[in-house]
Amino acid sequence: MVDDTWSSALHRLWQAASRAEEVAALADDVYAPLLATPGVHLVVGTRWDGKHVLRYMRALSAGSDTPVIVATTRSMPGAAVRDPGGEPVVTRSAVDGMDDSMWPEAEFLRQAPGASVVACTFRLDQRGWAALALAVDGTADLSVVENRLTQAVDVIVACHTGILQRGREARRASDDALLAEASLQMDSSLDVEDTLRRVARIAVPAVADGALVHLLRSEGPEFVAATHVAVQQQRALEEAGRHDPWLAALLARRGEDEDTVFLSGAALEGSPFAEAGGTGGGADGSAAGGANATAAGARPAGDGPHPTVVSISTLRARGRVVGSITFVYQRPEARLPDSAFLRSLATRAALAIDNALLYELRRTAVLSLQEHLLPSQLPESVQWDLSASYAVGDPMLDVGGDFYDAVPRPDGSIALLIGDVCGRGAEAAALTGLARHTLRTLLEEGNDPGTALSRLNRALRQERASRFLTAVVATLTPRPDGTALLSTCSAGHPPPLVLRSDGTVSEVLSGGLLLGVLDDVSYESHEELIAPDDTLVLFTDGLTESREAGGTFFESVLPARLSALRGSGAAHIAESLAQQAETFRDSGQDDIALLVARWTGIPPDAGLLPRDPRIEQAALR
């Protein structure tokens, strides 16, 4: 015969279990139907941790609506014999024969009518187990009682397993979200120090209470970043990261060990993370230790509790170790991240750091190569004021093809040249070196600009260069009256500008075919006079083609910006125009090269014309 009352109660219990967020929420749905079983007078539930410490006891008697709840941390080693190990264990025993050192429930069970106890012990997880004990009298059908008890336990175990599974899934989702956010944050910077600081900040407090990041150098670990939820502890953590010998020795010993290591308790003796008396806290966070405890060396002290657990993960990317990340925890063991998560975080951090390191190396190499493609210094004379500026515009840091030079000539004139090779990279760099040195040699020998460009074009065609280039050559020849004859020859390059002493700006007439396209090309020169305090400005198209968000090119505002710089020296004009173009542009990644020559015609002690900063500021509006 089917017991509809118990079946209905069990159905409701399963429904409650599917919604419960903690096992304790099932108590009413478990205890009431068990007490409704004929012959059952009392239900007592207990919860134990893996060390046989009683954590919780709940007793409810028939006819009562108010349970007795006891929360405790009573250590009962004798209860070890009740540990179920694997499957649930059902026992029957007499109340009078119960040993209080094993059965804390006895104090309640003895108060109930009847002389028998039916109990079921069952494991919830690896960290603990539980028990349900029923006080029954002689009228109870013990087989029915045992059957209902085991069915209730099945629901409790399934509920607890489901809660753990949902918790793991929620934590996994949270970890995945954190890892994704960490990747975005770390990958958003190619600066090494900024990336390392981001690695430390991302992990605190989501992963740990504190974090230390070290970079691996040839001489050993180098501290680079630290963070902690408490400001005072962060300062001490930084000090430990820089100077603590225990931590330095530990990081050095780990070498290329890929596994994350967790340290606690005695393993932290002598460390900056140890508790007072030289021992660290346990992994469960239960260790005592005052806020004013001290240990040898720098330590993350402060007013808060000390870290009780430390983990160290090696940062490895592309087959090599780039550093390590050390996490410090002041939290229970249940809230510690697992090794798999830390390995994934360390891998992402290592790749971000390695990318930043490689970018830094590439940037240094590119800038060094770029410097060797340009003159180390410009010639000096009392008759001209020369300066140049070069701004790298490519975020990928390929070598650009812009070049410039200034060449004193045998007749006392000076030749100025600027050019731009199509494209970027090693091939462009090779062509840049060929073009600049060829033009320099020809101009030093006294060739006029048109002849120098024609011979360079012939050399490019003979070399079967796959790229074309533009260039302009201008010579300044002194005249007895203090003026200079400006002779300009262009090969498809943006025309230079002349800033007159009165602030007017004019474009130098020039034309000519690109270099390296056709054979036997000739180039014509344009001549005009340059007066003292006039300034010649040569530039590459990276300057004029800088474009703002609205689509306007810098070329349209260049004459006004240049005019506002009248009275300025060559260095200020070159630097100011380059900075203005970089600030102006919202798009465009071309390099910007400028070569500026202010013709004095007289000794420099005559001074510059008065410069009015207000005119320059007005042009920027």
Side-chain angles (χ1 to χ4, degrees), residues 41-59:
H41 297 277
L42 179 73
V43 180
V44 184
T46 51
R47 180 74 178 269
W48 306 76
D49 69 14
K51 299 177 182 178
H52 309 299
V53 174
L54 178 64
R55 294 292 185 179
Y56 172 87
M57 186 159 55
R58 187 181 196 272

Side-chain angles (χ1 to χ4, degrees), residues 500-578:
R500 303 293 179 178
S501 59
D502 62 359
T504 59
V505 176
S506 61
E507 187 177 273
V508 177
L509 296 177
S510 60
L513 191 66
L514 303 172
L515 294 165
V517 177
L518 299 176
D519 298 328
D520 300 325
V521 179
S522 61
Y523 296 92
E524 297 182 357
S525 297
H526 169 79
E527 295 183 348
E528 61 182 278
L529 293 178
I530 295 293
D533 296 318
D534 287 349
T535 301
L536 176 66
V537 180
L538 296 87
F539 48 87
T540 57
D541 58 9
L543 180 76
T544 54
E545 293 180 1
S546 295
R547 181 187 298 184
E548 67 173 356
T552 302
F553 287 97
F554 191 72
E555 180 180 20
S556 63
V557 300
L558 178 56
R561 299 287 181 93
L562 179 58
S563 177
L565 294 169
R566 63 181 178 273
S568 300
H572 179 72
I573 292 175
E575 293 174 4
S576 178
L577 288 179

Side-chain angles (χ1 to χ4, degrees), residues 189-509:
S189 174
L190 286 174
D191 179 83
V192 175
E193 292 189 2
D194 182 56
T195 299
L196 291 166
R197 285 192 293 267
R198 286 170 183 254
V199 171
R201 288 198 299 265
I202 287 169
V204 175
V207 177
D209 299 280
L212 285 157
V213 182
H214 286 78
L215 202 60
L216 183 63
R217 301 293 191 185
S218 56
E219 60 273 15
E222 175 191 342
F223 168 77
V224 288
T227 189
H228 197 282
V229 291
V231 175
Q232 189 170 356
Q233 291 200 35
Q234 177 170 330
R235 294 171 185 156
L237 201 60
E238 292 173 352
E239 184 69 13
R242 288 190 179 94
H243 304 298
D244 184 73
W246 182 92
L247 183 58
L250 177 62
L251 296 178
R253 286 197 307 271
R254 282 188 55 76
E256 297 191 2
D257 189 354
E258 296 184 10
D259 293 332
T260 295
V261 61
F262 285 87
L263 304 174
S264 62
L268 294 177
E269 288 184 7
S271 78
F273 315 108
E275 299 290 346
T279 59
D284 63 355
S286 61
N292 297 320
T294 59
R299 56 177 298 116
D303 297 330
H306 288 267
T308 57
V309 181
V310 175
S311 70
I312 302 174
S313 300
T314 299
L315 300 177
R316 174 185 289 275
R318 300 180 178 94
R320 66 189 185 92
V321 176
V322 298
S324 64
I325 183 166
T326 302
F327 290 131
V328 291
Y329 309 91
Q330 296 168 284
R331 56 186 65 183
E333 182 180 2
R335 292 182 56 204
L336 295 181
D338 57 35
S339 297
F341 171 81
L342 291 179
R343 280 195 303 271
S344 183
L345 181 61
T347 298
R348 294 166 190 245
L351 285 172
I353 293 169
D354 195 48
N355 287 339
L357 289 170
L358 293 175
Y359 180 86
E360 185 179 72
L361 290 174
R362 182 176 180 180
R363 181 174 183 274
T364 301
V366 167
L367 293 179
S368 176
L369 178 57
Q370 199 82 64
E371 289 177 0
H372 284 83
L373 293 174
L374 301 173
S376 58
Q377 61 182 12
L378 298 174
E380 297 181 359
S381 170
V382 296
Q383 292 185 300
W384 59 70
D385 172 22
L386 286 179
S387 187
S389 176
Y390 196 104
V392 177
D394 180 25
M396 298 307 295
L397 284 181
D398 272 332
V399 182
D402 293 12
F403 64 91
Y404 61 83
D405 207 344
V407 185
R409 289 156 53 87
D411 61 358
S413 65
I414 184 172
L416 308 175
L417 61 100
I418 194 166
D420 186 0
V421 176
C422 172
R424 311 185 68 85
E427 188 177 357
L431 196 56
T432 297
L434 171 65
R436 185 174 80 84
H437 289 292
T438 299
L439 285 177
R440 181 179 180 87
T441 300
L442 292 171
L443 293 168
E444 281 180 333
E445 293 175 352
N447 291 282
D448 63 84
T451 300
L453 288 174
S454 295
R455 293 182 62 178
L456 173 59
N457 182 74
R458 191 179 311 129
L460 293 174
R461 297 295 294 168
Q462 290 174 348
E463 290 292 330
R464 298 183 182 276
S466 61
R467 299 170 185 258
F468 63 83
L469 62 94
T470 66
V472 64
V473 178
T475 59
L476 293 173
T477 304
R479 290 165 48 93
D481 60 358
T483 63
L485 178 64
L486 171 63
S487 179
T488 308
C489 192
S490 176
H493 198 81
L497 297 178
V498 176
L499 171 62
R500 303 293 179 178
S501 59
D502 62 359
T504 59
V505 176
S506 61
E507 187 177 273
V508 177
L509 296 177

